[in-house]
Amino acid sequence: MLKRILFVDDETQILRSITRLFMDTEYEVLTAESGAEALDILESEQVDVIVSDMKMPKMTGYELLSQVKKRFPNIVRIILSGFSDERIVFEALQKNIAKLYILKPWENTSFINTLEKVFQIENVL
């Protein structure tokens, strides 16, 4: 079965390059440009992993991933951010709001490999 990843970022060009990056993989990519849009998608779609930027207007990635943890606890939560506020990222990891942190700008191969590892670990669990 296809694994589905929801990427959330308020920058359209980032979502576009992620979509391109994952085009030839075994993953189905969904995108949202805001936390509210992401929550709408999660209400109606089966998603395995959510990867969210931290610094977004209206609802931050931290707030979004906190909501996802409460409402959809089985979805793996990952931070993708160039946001230099390490304190918030550290807190998100500490409180299990996110499983891991991927830094922007990312390196394509390691980005895909990281997500593959996440799915391998989830399959074992």
Side-chain angles (χ1 to χ4, degrees), residues 25-83:
T25 65
E26 72 254 37
Y27 307 116
E28 186 179 339
V29 170
L30 303 170
T31 61
E33 290 181 33
S34 69
E37 189 185 341
L39 291 172
D40 285 346
I41 290 171
L42 294 176
E43 289 293 340
S44 60
E45 301 284 342
Q46 169 61 45
V47 171
D48 300 291
V49 172
I50 182 169
V51 181
S52 179
D53 185 23
M54 276 280 120
K55 207 172 190 180
M56 297 186 292
K58 292 190 187 89
M59 185 188 297
T60 66
Y62 187 94
E63 292 164 331
L64 169 62
L65 295 177
S66 300
Q67 288 276 324
V68 173
K69 180 184 178 183
K70 276 191 208 100
R71 294 165 58 186
F72 311 97
N74 295 336
I75 296 176
V76 178
R77 299 166 306 278
I78 298 174
I79 296 167
L80 172 68
S81 191
F83 187 31

Short mmCIF file of all heavy atoms in Angstrom, two decimals, residues 25-83:
data_model
loop_
_atom_site.label_atom_id
_atom_site.label_comp_id
_atom_site.label_asym_id
_atom_site.label_seq_id
_atom_site.Cartn_x
_atom_site.Cartn_y
_atom_site.Cartn_z
N THR A 25 9.14 8.28 -6.15
CA THR A 25 9.29 7.38 -5.01
C THR A 25 7.99 6.61 -4.82
O THR A 25 7.02 6.86 -5.53
CB THR A 25 9.58 8.19 -3.71
OG1 THR A 25 8.45 9.00 -3.41
CG2 THR A 25 10.83 9.05 -3.85
N GLU A 26 7.98 5.72 -3.84
CA GLU A 26 6.75 4.95 -3.60
C GLU A 26 5.80 5.68 -2.65
O GLU A 26 4.91 5.08 -2.07
CB GLU A 26 7.08 3.55 -3.07
CG GLU A 26 7.58 3.54 -1.66
CD GLU A 26 9.08 3.28 -1.53
OE1 GLU A 26 9.87 3.77 -2.38
OE2 GLU A 26 9.45 2.57 -0.58
N TYR A 27 6.00 6.99 -2.47
CA TYR A 27 5.14 7.74 -1.57
C TYR A 27 4.17 8.62 -2.33
O TYR A 27 4.48 9.15 -3.37
CB TYR A 27 6.00 8.63 -0.64
CG TYR A 27 7.05 7.84 0.07
CD1 TYR A 27 8.40 8.07 -0.15
CD2 TYR A 27 6.69 6.81 0.95
CE1 TYR A 27 9.36 7.32 0.50
CE2 TYR A 27 7.65 6.06 1.59
CZ TYR A 27 8.99 6.31 1.37
OH TYR A 27 9.94 5.56 1.99
N GLU A 28 3.00 8.76 -1.75
CA GLU A 28 2.03 9.70 -2.28
C GLU A 28 2.16 10.98 -1.46
O GLU A 28 2.14 10.94 -0.23
CB GLU A 28 0.62 9.14 -2.16
CG GLU A 28 -0.41 10.02 -2.84
CD GLU A 28 -1.82 9.45 -2.75
OE1 GLU A 28 -1.97 8.23 -2.52
OE2 GLU A 28 -2.75 10.24 -2.89
N VAL A 29 2.30 12.10 -2.15
CA VAL A 29 2.54 13.37 -1.47
C VAL A 29 1.28 14.24 -1.50
O VAL A 29 0.67 14.45 -2.54
CB VAL A 29 3.71 14.12 -2.15
CG1 VAL A 29 3.81 15.55 -1.64
CG2 VAL A 29 5.02 13.38 -1.92
N LEU A 30 0.90 14.72 -0.32
CA LEU A 30 -0.17 15.70 -0.19
C LEU A 30 0.50 16.97 0.34
O LEU A 30 1.48 16.89 1.07
CB LEU A 30 -1.23 15.21 0.81
CG LEU A 30 -1.88 13.86 0.51
CD1 LEU A 30 -2.71 13.40 1.69
CD2 LEU A 30 -2.75 13.96 -0.72
N THR A 31 -0.05 18.12 -0.01
CA THR A 31 0.54 19.37 0.49
C THR A 31 -0.54 20.29 1.04
O THR A 31 -1.69 20.25 0.61
CB THR A 31 1.32 20.11 -0.62
OG1 THR A 31 0.42 20.44 -1.68
CG2 THR A 31 2.48 19.30 -1.15
N ALA A 32 -0.12 21.10 2.00
CA ALA A 32 -1.01 22.11 2.58
C ALA A 32 -0.17 23.36 2.83
O ALA A 32 1.00 23.26 3.22
CB ALA A 32 -1.60 21.60 3.89
N GLU A 33 -0.77 24.53 2.62
CA GLU A 33 -0.05 25.78 2.81
C GLU A 33 -0.31 26.43 4.17
O GLU A 33 0.19 27.52 4.43
CB GLU A 33 -0.38 26.75 1.67
CG GLU A 33 0.21 26.30 0.36
CD GLU A 33 -0.07 27.27 -0.79
OE1 GLU A 33 -0.15 28.49 -0.55
OE2 GLU A 33 -0.21 26.78 -1.93
N SER A 34 -1.09 25.74 5.02
CA SER A 34 -1.35 26.29 6.36
C SER A 34 -1.73 25.15 7.29
O SER A 34 -2.11 24.06 6.85
CB SER A 34 -2.49 27.30 6.31
OG SER A 34 -3.71 26.62 6.03
N GLY A 35 -1.66 25.45 8.58
CA GLY A 35 -2.07 24.46 9.57
C GLY A 35 -3.53 24.09 9.44
O GLY A 35 -3.91 22.92 9.53
N ALA A 36 -4.38 25.10 9.19
CA ALA A 36 -5.82 24.85 9.05
C ALA A 36 -6.09 23.93 7.86
O ALA A 36 -6.88 22.98 7.97
CB ALA A 36 -6.56 26.17 8.89
N GLU A 37 -5.43 24.20 6.74
CA GLU A 37 -5.60 23.36 5.55
C GLU A 37 -5.12 21.93 5.83
O GLU A 37 -5.76 20.96 5.43
CB GLU A 37 -4.82 23.96 4.38
CG GLU A 37 -5.09 23.28 3.05
CD GLU A 37 -4.22 23.80 1.90
OE1 GLU A 37 -3.64 24.90 2.00
OE2 GLU A 37 -4.12 23.06 0.90
N ALA A 38 -4.02 21.80 6.56
CA ALA A 38 -3.50 20.48 6.92
C ALA A 38 -4.51 19.70 7.75
O ALA A 38 -4.76 18.52 7.50
CB ALA A 38 -2.18 20.63 7.69
N LEU A 39 -5.11 20.36 8.75
CA LEU A 39 -6.09 19.68 9.60
C LEU A 39 -7.32 19.25 8.79
O LEU A 39 -7.86 18.17 9.02
CB LEU A 39 -6.49 20.57 10.78
CG LEU A 39 -5.38 20.79 11.82
CD1 LEU A 39 -5.80 21.83 12.85
CD2 LEU A 39 -4.99 19.48 12.51
N ASP A 40 -7.74 20.08 7.84
CA ASP A 40 -8.86 19.71 6.95
C ASP A 40 -8.52 18.44 6.18
O ASP A 40 -9.35 17.54 6.06
CB ASP A 40 -9.17 20.83 5.95
CG ASP A 40 -9.91 22.00 6.60
OD1 ASP A 40 -10.41 21.83 7.74
OD2 ASP A 40 -9.98 23.06 5.96
N ILE A 41 -7.31 18.37 5.63
CA ILE A 41 -6.88 17.19 4.87
C ILE A 41 -6.89 15.96 5.77
O ILE A 41 -7.38 14.90 5.39
CB ILE A 41 -5.49 17.42 4.24
CG1 ILE A 41 -5.60 18.46 3.11
CG2 ILE A 41 -4.90 16.11 3.71
CD1 ILE A 41 -4.27 18.94 2.55
N LEU A 42 -6.37 16.11 7.00
CA LEU A 42 -6.29 14.97 7.92
C LEU A 42 -7.67 14.45 8.32
O LEU A 42 -7.83 13.27 8.60
CB LEU A 42 -5.48 15.35 9.16
CG LEU A 42 -4.00 15.64 8.91
CD1 LEU A 42 -3.33 16.10 10.20
CD2 LEU A 42 -3.29 14.43 8.33
N GLU A 43 -8.66 15.33 8.32
CA GLU A 43 -10.03 14.92 8.64
C GLU A 43 -10.57 13.95 7.60
O GLU A 43 -11.37 13.07 7.91
CB GLU A 43 -10.97 16.14 8.70
CG GLU A 43 -10.77 17.06 9.88
CD GLU A 43 -11.14 16.42 11.23
OE1 GLU A 43 -11.89 15.42 11.26
OE2 GLU A 43 -10.66 16.94 12.25
N SER A 44 -10.15 14.14 6.33
CA SER A 44 -10.77 13.37 5.26
C SER A 44 -9.84 12.36 4.58
O SER A 44 -10.29 11.55 3.79
CB SER A 44 -11.33 14.32 4.20
OG SER A 44 -10.27 15.11 3.67
N GLU A 45 -8.55 12.43 4.85
CA GLU A 45 -7.59 11.56 4.17
C GLU A 45 -6.81 10.72 5.16
O GLU A 45 -6.52 11.16 6.26
CB GLU A 45 -6.57 12.40 3.37
CG GLU A 45 -7.17 13.31 2.32
CD GLU A 45 -7.61 12.58 1.08
OE1 GLU A 45 -7.17 11.43 0.86
OE2 GLU A 45 -8.41 13.15 0.32
N GLN A 46 -6.42 9.53 4.72
CA GLN A 46 -5.53 8.67 5.50
C GLN A 46 -4.10 9.13 5.22
O GLN A 46 -3.67 9.16 4.08
CB GLN A 46 -5.75 7.21 5.07
CG GLN A 46 -4.72 6.21 5.59
CD GLN A 46 -4.68 6.14 7.10
OE1 GLN A 46 -5.72 6.09 7.76
NE2 GLN A 46 -3.49 6.13 7.66
N VAL A 47 -3.38 9.55 6.27
CA VAL A 47 -2.01 10.03 6.13
C VAL A 47 -1.13 9.28 7.12
O VAL A 47 -1.53 9.03 8.25
CB VAL A 47 -1.94 11.57 6.40
CG1 VAL A 47 -0.52 12.06 6.47
CG2 VAL A 47 -2.71 12.33 5.33
N ASP A 48 0.07 8.89 6.67
CA ASP A 48 0.99 8.14 7.54
C ASP A 48 1.96 9.05 8.28
O ASP A 48 2.31 8.80 9.43
CB ASP A 48 1.78 7.13 6.70
CG ASP A 48 0.85 6.15 6.00
OD1 ASP A 48 0.25 5.32 6.71
OD2 ASP A 48 0.70 6.23 4.77
N VAL A 49 2.43 10.09 7.58
CA VAL A 49 3.43 11.00 8.14
C VAL A 49 3.06 12.43 7.79
O VAL A 49 2.61 12.71 6.67
CB VAL A 49 4.84 10.68 7.57
CG1 VAL A 49 5.86 11.73 7.99
CG2 VAL A 49 5.31 9.30 8.00
N ILE A 50 3.26 13.33 8.75
CA ILE A 50 3.11 14.76 8.46
C ILE A 50 4.47 15.41 8.69
O ILE A 50 5.13 15.15 9.70
CB ILE A 50 1.99 15.42 9.31
CG1 ILE A 50 1.85 16.90 8.94
CG2 ILE A 50 2.24 15.26 10.80
CD1 ILE A 50 0.60 17.58 9.53
N VAL A 51 4.89 16.23 7.73
CA VAL A 51 6.16 16.95 7.83
C VAL A 51 5.80 18.43 7.75
O VAL A 51 5.28 18.89 6.74
CB VAL A 51 7.11 16.57 6.67
CG1 VAL A 51 8.43 17.32 6.80
CG2 VAL A 51 7.34 15.06 6.63
N SER A 52 6.07 19.15 8.84
CA SER A 52 5.62 20.54 8.89
C SER A 52 6.75 21.52 9.15
O SER A 52 7.64 21.27 9.96
CB SER A 52 4.57 20.71 9.98
OG SER A 52 4.15 22.06 10.05
N ASP A 53 6.65 22.66 8.47
CA ASP A 53 7.51 23.80 8.76
C ASP A 53 7.09 24.32 10.13
O ASP A 53 5.97 24.09 10.59
CB ASP A 53 7.27 24.87 7.67
CG ASP A 53 8.20 26.06 7.81
OD1 ASP A 53 9.28 25.92 8.41
OD2 ASP A 53 7.84 27.13 7.29
N MET A 54 7.99 25.02 10.83
CA MET A 54 7.66 25.55 12.15
C MET A 54 7.11 26.96 12.05
O MET A 54 6.15 27.31 12.70
CB MET A 54 8.93 25.61 13.01
CG MET A 54 9.25 24.31 13.70
SD MET A 54 8.26 24.08 15.20
CE MET A 54 7.42 22.59 14.81
N LYS A 55 7.75 27.77 11.22
CA LYS A 55 7.43 29.20 11.19
C LYS A 55 6.39 29.47 10.10
O LYS A 55 6.72 29.57 8.93
CB LYS A 55 8.70 29.99 10.92
CG LYS A 55 8.69 31.38 11.48
CD LYS A 55 10.06 32.02 11.33
CE LYS A 55 10.11 33.32 12.09
NZ LYS A 55 11.43 33.95 11.95
N MET A 56 5.13 29.53 10.51
CA MET A 56 4.04 29.80 9.57
C MET A 56 3.10 30.82 10.21
O MET A 56 2.96 30.84 11.43
CB MET A 56 3.27 28.52 9.24
CG MET A 56 4.11 27.45 8.54
SD MET A 56 3.13 26.03 8.00
CE MET A 56 2.63 25.29 9.55
N PRO A 57 2.44 31.64 9.39
CA PRO A 57 1.49 32.61 9.95
C PRO A 57 0.24 31.90 10.49
O PRO A 57 -0.02 30.75 10.13
CB PRO A 57 1.15 33.50 8.76
CG PRO A 57 1.50 32.71 7.55
CD PRO A 57 2.58 31.76 7.95
N LYS A 58 -0.51 32.56 11.32
CA LYS A 58 -1.74 32.06 11.94
C LYS A 58 -1.48 30.90 12.89
O LYS A 58 -1.56 31.05 14.09
CB LYS A 58 -2.82 31.70 10.91
CG LYS A 58 -3.36 32.91 10.19
CD LYS A 58 -4.59 32.55 9.35
CE LYS A 58 -5.03 33.71 8.50
NZ LYS A 58 -4.37 33.73 7.18
N MET A 59 -1.19 29.70 12.36
CA MET A 59 -0.92 28.54 13.20
C MET A 59 0.51 28.07 12.96
O MET A 59 0.86 27.75 11.84
CB MET A 59 -1.91 27.41 12.85
CG MET A 59 -1.79 26.19 13.76
SD MET A 59 -2.81 24.77 13.19
CE MET A 59 -4.45 25.43 13.31
N THR A 60 1.33 28.06 14.01
CA THR A 60 2.72 27.62 13.84
C THR A 60 2.76 26.10 13.67
O THR A 60 1.79 25.40 13.97
CB THR A 60 3.58 27.99 15.07
OG1 THR A 60 3.09 27.23 16.20
CG2 THR A 60 3.53 29.49 15.37
N GLY A 61 3.91 25.62 13.21
CA GLY A 61 4.10 24.18 13.08
C GLY A 61 3.98 23.49 14.42
O GLY A 61 3.44 22.39 14.53
N TYR A 62 4.46 24.15 15.47
CA TYR A 62 4.37 23.59 16.82
C TYR A 62 2.90 23.38 17.20
O TYR A 62 2.51 22.31 17.69
CB TYR A 62 5.07 24.53 17.81
CG TYR A 62 5.19 23.97 19.21
CD1 TYR A 62 6.32 23.29 19.61
CD2 TYR A 62 4.15 24.13 20.13
CE1 TYR A 62 6.44 22.77 20.90
CE2 TYR A 62 4.26 23.61 21.42
CZ TYR A 62 5.41 22.94 21.79
OH TYR A 62 5.51 22.42 23.06
N GLU A 63 2.08 24.40 16.96
CA GLU A 63 0.65 24.31 17.28
C GLU A 63 -0.03 23.22 16.44
O GLU A 63 -0.83 22.44 16.95
CB GLU A 63 -0.05 25.65 17.04
CG GLU A 63 0.40 26.74 18.02
CD GLU A 63 0.03 28.16 17.56
OE1 GLU A 63 -0.08 28.41 16.34
OE2 GLU A 63 -0.17 29.01 18.44
N LEU A 64 0.32 23.19 15.15
CA LEU A 64 -0.26 22.19 14.26
C LEU A 64 0.09 20.78 14.73
O LEU A 64 -0.79 19.92 14.88
CB LEU A 64 0.23 22.39 12.82
CG LEU A 64 -0.10 21.26 11.84
CD1 LEU A 64 -1.60 21.06 11.68
CD2 LEU A 64 0.56 21.52 10.48
N LEU A 65 1.38 20.53 14.97
CA LEU A 65 1.80 19.18 15.36
C LEU A 65 1.24 18.79 16.73
O LEU A 65 0.96 17.62 16.98
CB LEU A 65 3.33 19.06 15.32
CG LEU A 65 3.95 19.22 13.92
CD1 LEU A 65 5.46 19.17 13.98
CD2 LEU A 65 3.41 18.17 12.94
N SER A 66 1.04 19.77 17.62
CA SER A 66 0.39 19.49 18.92
C SER A 66 -1.04 19.01 18.70
O SER A 66 -1.49 18.05 19.33
CB SER A 66 0.37 20.74 19.80
OG SER A 66 1.67 21.19 20.05
N GLN A 67 -1.75 19.67 17.78
CA GLN A 67 -3.13 19.27 17.44
C GLN A 67 -3.15 17.87 16.82
O GLN A 67 -3.99 17.05 17.17
CB GLN A 67 -3.71 20.24 16.40
CG GLN A 67 -4.05 21.60 16.91
CD GLN A 67 -5.43 21.62 17.54
OE1 GLN A 67 -6.34 20.94 17.08
NE2 GLN A 67 -5.56 22.37 18.59
N VAL A 68 -2.22 17.64 15.91
CA VAL A 68 -2.14 16.33 15.24
C VAL A 68 -1.87 15.24 16.27
O VAL A 68 -2.49 14.18 16.24
CB VAL A 68 -1.07 16.33 14.13
CG1 VAL A 68 -0.87 14.92 13.55
CG2 VAL A 68 -1.46 17.30 13.01
N LYS A 69 -0.98 15.52 17.22
CA LYS A 69 -0.66 14.53 18.26
C LYS A 69 -1.93 14.16 19.04
O LYS A 69 -2.18 12.99 19.32
CB LYS A 69 0.40 15.08 19.20
CG LYS A 69 0.77 14.09 20.30
CD LYS A 69 1.75 14.64 21.30
CE LYS A 69 2.02 13.59 22.37
NZ LYS A 69 2.92 14.08 23.41
N LYS A 70 -2.73 15.17 19.39
CA LYS A 70 -3.95 14.93 20.16
C LYS A 70 -5.00 14.20 19.33
O LYS A 70 -5.61 13.23 19.79
CB LYS A 70 -4.55 16.26 20.62
CG LYS A 70 -3.96 16.80 21.88
CD LYS A 70 -4.80 17.99 22.40
CE LYS A 70 -3.94 18.94 23.18
NZ LYS A 70 -3.53 20.12 22.43
N ARG A 71 -5.25 14.69 18.11
CA ARG A 71 -6.37 14.20 17.31
C ARG A 71 -6.06 12.99 16.44
O ARG A 71 -6.94 12.20 16.14
CB ARG A 71 -6.91 15.35 16.46
CG ARG A 71 -7.52 16.45 17.33
CD ARG A 71 -7.74 17.75 16.61
NE ARG A 71 -8.60 17.62 15.45
CZ ARG A 71 -8.84 18.61 14.60
NH1 ARG A 71 -8.28 19.79 14.77
NH2 ARG A 71 -9.65 18.43 13.57
N PHE A 72 -4.80 12.88 16.02
CA PHE A 72 -4.40 11.77 15.14
C PHE A 72 -3.08 11.18 15.65
O PHE A 72 -2.04 11.31 15.00
CB PHE A 72 -4.22 12.27 13.69
CG PHE A 72 -5.37 13.10 13.18
CD1 PHE A 72 -5.33 14.49 13.22
CD2 PHE A 72 -6.51 12.48 12.65
CE1 PHE A 72 -6.39 15.26 12.75
CE2 PHE A 72 -7.57 13.25 12.17
CZ PHE A 72 -7.51 14.64 12.23
N PRO A 73 -3.12 10.56 16.83
CA PRO A 73 -1.86 10.14 17.49
C PRO A 73 -1.03 9.13 16.68
O PRO A 73 0.17 9.01 16.93
CB PRO A 73 -2.33 9.54 18.82
CG PRO A 73 -3.78 9.25 18.63
CD PRO A 73 -4.30 10.21 17.60
N ASN A 74 -1.64 8.43 15.73
CA ASN A 74 -0.88 7.43 14.98
C ASN A 74 -0.09 8.00 13.81
O ASN A 74 0.69 7.28 13.17
CB ASN A 74 -1.81 6.32 14.48
CG ASN A 74 -2.41 5.54 15.64
OD1 ASN A 74 -1.84 5.51 16.73
ND2 ASN A 74 -3.56 4.94 15.42
N ILE A 75 -0.29 9.27 13.51
CA ILE A 75 0.46 9.89 12.42
C ILE A 75 1.83 10.31 12.94
O ILE A 75 1.94 10.96 13.98
CB ILE A 75 -0.30 11.11 11.85
CG1 ILE A 75 -1.63 10.66 11.23
CG2 ILE A 75 0.57 11.84 10.82
CD1 ILE A 75 -2.50 11.80 10.72
N VAL A 76 2.87 9.91 12.23
CA VAL A 76 4.24 10.28 12.61
C VAL A 76 4.43 11.76 12.28
O VAL A 76 4.11 12.21 11.18
CB VAL A 76 5.27 9.42 11.86
CG1 VAL A 76 6.69 9.86 12.22
CG2 VAL A 76 5.06 7.95 12.16
N ARG A 77 4.96 12.51 13.26
CA ARG A 77 5.11 13.96 13.11
C ARG A 77 6.59 14.34 13.00
O ARG A 77 7.39 13.96 13.84
CB ARG A 77 4.48 14.66 14.32
CG ARG A 77 2.98 14.35 14.44
CD ARG A 77 2.39 14.74 15.78
NE ARG A 77 3.08 14.18 16.94
CZ ARG A 77 2.89 12.95 17.41
NH1 ARG A 77 2.05 12.11 16.83
NH2 ARG A 77 3.55 12.53 18.47
N ILE A 78 6.90 15.10 11.94
CA ILE A 78 8.29 15.51 11.68
C ILE A 78 8.33 17.01 11.42
O ILE A 78 7.44 17.56 10.77
CB ILE A 78 8.85 14.75 10.45
CG1 ILE A 78 8.87 13.23 10.74
CG2 ILE A 78 10.25 15.25 10.08
CD1 ILE A 78 9.28 12.38 9.55
N ILE A 79 9.38 17.65 11.93
CA ILE A 79 9.59 19.08 11.70
C ILE A 79 10.56 19.23 10.53
O ILE A 79 11.60 18.57 10.51
CB ILE A 79 10.21 19.75 12.95
CG1 ILE A 79 9.26 19.67 14.14
CG2 ILE A 79 10.60 21.20 12.65
CD1 ILE A 79 9.91 20.01 15.47
N LEU A 80 10.21 20.08 9.59
CA LEU A 80 11.13 20.47 8.51
C LEU A 80 11.26 21.97 8.60
O LEU A 80 10.29 22.69 8.36
CB LEU A 80 10.57 20.08 7.14
CG LEU A 80 11.36 20.60 5.94
CD1 LEU A 80 12.72 19.92 5.85
CD2 LEU A 80 10.59 20.39 4.66
N SER A 81 12.44 22.45 9.02
CA SER A 81 12.51 23.87 9.24
C SER A 81 13.92 24.41 9.17
O SER A 81 14.87 23.74 9.58
CB SER A 81 11.91 24.19 10.60
OG SER A 81 11.74 25.57 10.76
N GLY A 82 14.04 25.61 8.70
CA GLY A 82 15.29 26.33 8.75
C GLY A 82 15.22 27.30 9.92
O GLY A 82 16.14 28.04 10.21
N PHE A 83 14.10 27.26 10.57
CA PHE A 83 13.79 28.11 11.72
C PHE A 83 14.86 27.91 12.79
O PHE A 83 15.04 26.82 13.29
CB PHE A 83 12.42 27.68 12.24
CG PHE A 83 11.85 28.54 13.32
CD1 PHE A 83 12.12 29.89 13.40
CD2 PHE A 83 11.00 27.98 14.27
CE1 PHE A 83 11.57 30.68 14.38
CE2 PHE A 83 10.44 28.76 15.26
CZ PHE A 83 10.73 30.11 15.32
#
